[in-house]
Amino acid sequence: MIEHDVIIVGGGLAGTRAAVEIVKTDPRLDVAVVAKTHPIRSHSVAAQGGIAATLKNVDEADTWEAHAFDTVKGSDFLADQDAVEILTRDAPNVVIDLEHMGVLFSRLPNGRIAQRAFGGHSHKRTCYAADKTGHAILHELVNNLRRYGVKIYDEWYVMRLILEEGQAKGVVMYRIRDARVEVVRARAVMFATGGYGRVYNTTSNDYASTGDGLSMTAAAGLPLEDMEFVQFHPTGLYPVGVLISEAVRGEGAYLLNSEGRRFMEDYAPSRMELAPRDITSRAIVQEIRAGRGIHPDGSAGGAYVHLDIRHLGKEQIMSRIPFCWEEAHRLVGIDAVYEPIPVRPTVHYSMGGIPVNTDGQVRSSAEHLVEGFFAAGEAACVSVHGANRLGSNSLLECVVYGRRTGATIAYYVQGRKLPEVDEQHYITEATQQIQALIDQSGQYRLAQVRQAFQDCMTEHCGVFRSDGVMRQGLAKLQEIKQQAQQVYLDDKNKIWNTELIEALELQSLLTVGEVILASALNRQESRGSHSREDFPDRNDTDFLKHTLAYHSAAGIEIQEMPVVISLFEPQERKY
Ligand SMILES: Cc1cc2nc3c(=O)[nH]c(=O)nc-3n(C[C@H](O)[C@H](O)[C@H](O)COP(=O)(O)OP(=O)(O)OC[C@H]3O[C@@H](n4cnc5c(N)ncnc54)[C@H](O)[C@@H]3O)c2cc1C
């Protein structure tokens, strides 16, 4: 059996920042990071636009309180305000700290870190490295893992969280290269497994964003929080869904309908294109529904709108947002210096996740915590984003709460014994599970079932939702789950069997999808990204509370948890 003081699942920004903090706090601790990709290939590397912090380099009037208010208002007042206070007060520190680790941020002429405008932020506070911010930060963090001697298990797939008697004891993992199964026991387990964009058929997320950490947590009998809040990013490149960063609108891009009109003036007149993502995504869908979308021949009635940057000029485009230009050029053959870019909303981010307190410790209910289990980053829900996340607050969350959770773990494990684990039991179970998948002689192909599932979620739990449509979705999902039991794999080998990994990931997707649908059905109001056509208003009397959903074979049980309101009283959200 493999043993470490701490095992962290996830090599993105949250997992690596936590690992660095643990070994910096106590160099004697033996810390390992596991990732099913290489850590450098975690989705964090794709983050483009930037990371928010009130450095006041461009806008001296900015304050952490203004950042906190923007975040809480953006969240439609569902964020926990104690967590938001920590996020926004710590932001300048963590950015300077990244700078000291060697992250190359873009600069102002006076040498200070440059900052740009972002949707829903009232001041220019987003720090960036051109439009490759995640790349710049993750590379330095992974370098630091090596520098501090953190053990890295790359291309190992974690299959199971070992949780016994309310205590996390370790994980079961599978080496993709040669099918070796190992049990790891540890004094503390941390999940930083990222998001679940692949639950939907059009997403900006990478192929590995399948919500495994959420599914393993649910399978261990623990709740998932606020899963109904799925962020659609307004500007996914049509038709592929790849992200055109919000930085493009931060630099001044226009959104135009088939009449060539900046339609955001009808939806958010004071913020226009820089309204928060939920509002902008709904506006685009409404324009398309009203027949003001665009066809490839330029006529009205099509499935996308235009993102226009021609007025910025070649120099600004190439120096500030070169990657976005390149993506449009490479993927759909558009030269954005001369032509507008076709865009429509794409699934982008998970506001909900594994419920944690502000020290990163996982909750088993509104009142109780799980011993030895921690989470941070997109997989976690400390609830700084509530019902809608503001752009550039997610990298910030990963770094602030990655660091904070790391610091907590470094103290937590002192004096804590390595737990007893029945290694053989878990190895046998995992090996049987894998063999059963390989031996399964069904009638469906994996890709076919996954596509049916992704289409079902997209159709039945998209930007706009309603009771009837979601109930139909849940019924369809039960059929798809049956089909998933009858999937056959073409590849029966044990060496680099990526089809087997996809089969395991399909199980994660199904669990996460079901929790999203059930949570969305339960919330009979519209708040942030969750927009109910049958309940169009926010209802603070009945729904100013978090959802805790427990998944089991018998179905999903929903409980609730109060929202922490310590700074700002809820008010109407207008832009
Ligand atoms: C295209 C794009 C652009 C973005 N731009 C911005 C931006 O400009 N600013 C901003 O604030 N946010 C941005 N975001 C959001 C932000 O990048 C993510 O929320 C954040 O990087 C998530 O980091 P993480 O550490 O939580 O997870 P990730 O970076 O997703 O890492 C997850 C890790 O978990 C591992 N893992 C998952 N499951 C398993 C398993 N079963 N076994 C082993 N390992 C596993 C993966 O291999 C990976 O290492 C963007 C997101 C996207 C998709």
Side-chain angles (χ1 to χ4, degrees):
M1 183 156 45
I2 298 175
E3 294 173 357
H4 291 287
D5 289 323
V6 185
I7 183 98
I8 298 175
V9 186
L13 241 59
T16 52
R17 187 63 192 83
V20 167
E21 194 62 22
I22 298 169
V23 282
K24 271 167 88 172
T25 308
D26 183 349
R28 294 166 309 173
L29 291 176
D30 164 17
V31 180
V33 169
V34 198
K36 66 178 176 177
T37 54
H38 187 280
I40 289 282
R41 299 203 55 195
S42 303
H43 188 61
S44 293
V45 83
Q48 303 175 358
I51 175 165
T54 52
L55 292 181
K56 310 182 198 210
N57 292 351
V58 174
D59 198 339
E60 276 181 24
D62 201 6
T63 58
W64 75 262
E65 290 93 336
H67 187 183
F69 179 73
D70 294 343
T71 302
V72 170
K73 183 176 171 190
S75 83
D76 220 344
F77 296 89
L78 192 72
D80 284 324
Q81 298 182 14
D82 54 344
V84 172
E85 180 170 348
I86 292 169
L87 180 86
T88 51
R89 270 183 187 266
D90 249 11
N93 280 333
V94 298
V95 170
I96 299 293
D97 183 53
L98 287 174
E99 215 265 312
H100 290 174
M101 278 186 205
V103 177
L104 291 169
F105 287 105
S106 294
R107 300 282 165 174
L108 296 167
N110 67 9
R112 291 177 178 272
I113 294 175
Q115 298 187 278
R116 61 165 54 122
F118 240 73
H121 290 279
S122 57
H123 294 73
K124 288 190 177 178
R125 62 167 76 99
T126 296
C127 313
Y128 57 94
D131 51 1
K132 300 175 184 174
T133 312
H135 187 274
I137 301 176
L138 190 60
H139 274 72
E140 281 316 322
L141 284 172
V142 172
N143 279 342
N144 272 276
L145 291 188
R146 299 198 190 286
R147 181 169 145 211
Y148 288 109
V150 172
K151 167 88 182 154
I152 300 175
Y153 296 91
D154 57 324
E155 296 177 330
W156 284 78
Y157 185 96
V158 174
M159 300 172 59
R160 180 171 181 168
L161 166 70
I162 299 177
L163 185 102
E164 294 168 352
E165 303 114 27
Q167 235 194 97
K169 298 185 169 180
V171 297
V172 181
M173 60 188 198
Y174 167 94
R175 187 156 71 181
I176 303 172
R177 168 154 51 103
D178 58 2
R180 192 167 125 200
V181 174
E182 286 280 357
V183 172
V184 186
R185 62 173 179 151
R187 293 172 220 270
V189 179
M190 176 178 169
F191 273 12
T193 45
Y196 57 62
R198 294 281 152 190
V199 163
Y200 288 82
N201 65 17
T202 308
T203 176
S204 66
N205 288 188
D206 74 358
Y207 286 95
S209 299
T210 52
D212 304 339
L214 306 180
S215 162
M216 286 186 272
T217 303
L222 299 174
L224 297 178
E225 182 176 350
D226 290 346
M227 292 292 284
E228 59 273 37
F229 299 105
V230 177
Q231 179 161 81
F232 288 78
H233 193 292
T235 58
L237 183 63
Y238 179 83
V240 283
V242 158
L243 186 74
I244 298 295
S245 171
E246 192 168 304
V248 173
R249 279 171 291 135
E251 294 293 332
Y254 300 148
L255 280 168
L256 306 175
N257 62 16
S258 62
E259 298 162 357
R261 200 163 64 80
R262 289 178 69 188
F263 56 83
M264 285 308 294
E265 67 191 11
D266 301 338
Y267 301 90
S270 72
R271 302 287 303 168
M272 293 295 285
E273 281 84 358
L274 286 175
R277 291 175 176 173
D278 53 339
I279 294 173
T280 314
S281 289
R282 275 195 291 277
I284 294 175
V285 172
Q286 277 171 282
E287 288 297 301
I288 293 171
R289 280 184 173 184
R292 292 188 292 273
I294 304 170
H295 280 296
D297 65 2
S299 63
Y304 59 82
V305 296
H306 275 152
L307 182 69
D308 192 356
I309 54 174
R310 289 173 292 182
H311 56 287
L312 300 180
K314 189 168 183 176
E315 199 190 301
Q316 190 179 347
I317 294 171
M318 291 311 184
S319 64
R320 304 280 188 80
I321 44 177
F323 185 62
C324 292
W325 179 89
E326 189 188 311
E327 275 187 324
H329 194 249
R330 183 166 46 88
L331 296 169
V332 296
I334 295 280
D335 180 347
V337 173
Y338 305 106
E339 300 160 273
I341 307 171
V343 294
R344 63 179 284 165
T346 185
V347 168
H348 185 59
Y349 183 81
S350 156
M351 266 75 71
I354 305 168
V356 292
N357 68 9
T358 52
D359 290 324
Q361 195 169 354
V362 176
R363 300 177 188 276
S364 55
S365 67
E367 298 85 27
H368 297 103
L369 298 170
V370 187
E371 288 305 327
F373 191 28
F374 298 82
E378 190 169 340
C381 183
V382 63
S383 206
V384 285
H385 312 301
N388 172 64
R389 164 174 85 89
L390 296 188
S392 70
N393 265 354
S394 169
L395 293 183
L396 180 63
E397 180 196 5
C398 287
V399 182
V400 167
Y401 281 97
R403 179 168 91 158
R404 212 176 148 85
T405 305
T408 307
I409 292 175
Y411 289 105
Y412 181 87
V413 296
Q414 305 291 335
R416 190 175 151 83
K417 282 213 240 68
L418 269 173
E420 296 298 327
V421 174
D422 180 349
E423 182 188 17
Q424 206 44 53
H425 164 76
Y426 286 103
I427 297 252
T428 308
E429 194 191 62
T431 313
Q432 281 170 354
Q433 188 192 347
I434 287 162
Q435 200 55 47
L437 277 172
I438 289 180
D439 293 343
Q440 204 161 273
S441 60
Q443 46 180 320
Y444 297 103
R445 300 190 73 103
L446 182 86
Q448 181 190 354
V449 175
R450 187 177 51 212
Q451 188 66 49
F453 164 73
Q454 292 169 330
D455 290 346
C456 168
M457 290 301 297
T458 308
E459 194 181 325
H460 294 277
C461 206
V463 173
F464 289 102
R465 302 160 173 192
S466 66
D467 186 272
V469 176
M470 285 191 285
R471 283 189 198 281
Q472 282 169 3
L474 268 175
K476 252 196 219 171
L477 191 57
Q478 298 315 316
E479 282 170 34
I480 295 170
K481 275 167 68 179
Q482 296 299 322
Q483 292 171 5
Q485 304 300 319
Q486 298 165 48
V487 157
Y488 72 91
L489 304 189
D490 287 322
D491 188 351
K492 309 280 183 200
N493 289 308
K494 296 251 164 110
I495 309 296
W496 278 112
N497 190 339
T498 51
E499 201 187 13
L500 175 72
I501 296 301
E502 287 177 32
L504 292 168
E505 287 174 341
L506 178 63
Q507 301 301 329
S508 304
L509 292 174
L510 290 167
T511 302
V512 171
E514 192 174 2
V515 177
I516 294 173
L517 261 169
S519 304
L521 199 55
N522 179 67
R523 186 174 284 276
Q524 298 182 335
E525 64 157 354
S526 290
R527 185 186 295 272
S529 67
H530 176 68
S531 192
R532 294 274 305 242
E533 289 178 300
D534 44 356
F535 297 98
D537 299 321
R538 193 175 91 190
N539 173 354
D540 285 347
T541 316
D542 299 321
F543 288 102
L544 182 54
K545 59 194 183 190
H546 298 292
T547 308
L548 291 182
Y550 295 77
H551 183 276
S552 73
I556 290 170
E557 188 201 318
I558 306 265
Q559 293 183 12
E560 56 193 54
M561 191 165 68
V563 176
V564 179
I565 297 174
S566 48
L567 301 169
F568 316 106
E569 278 306 313
Q571 49 177 254
E572 194 192 349
R573 180 168 172 253
K574 265 212 217 129
Y575 291 92

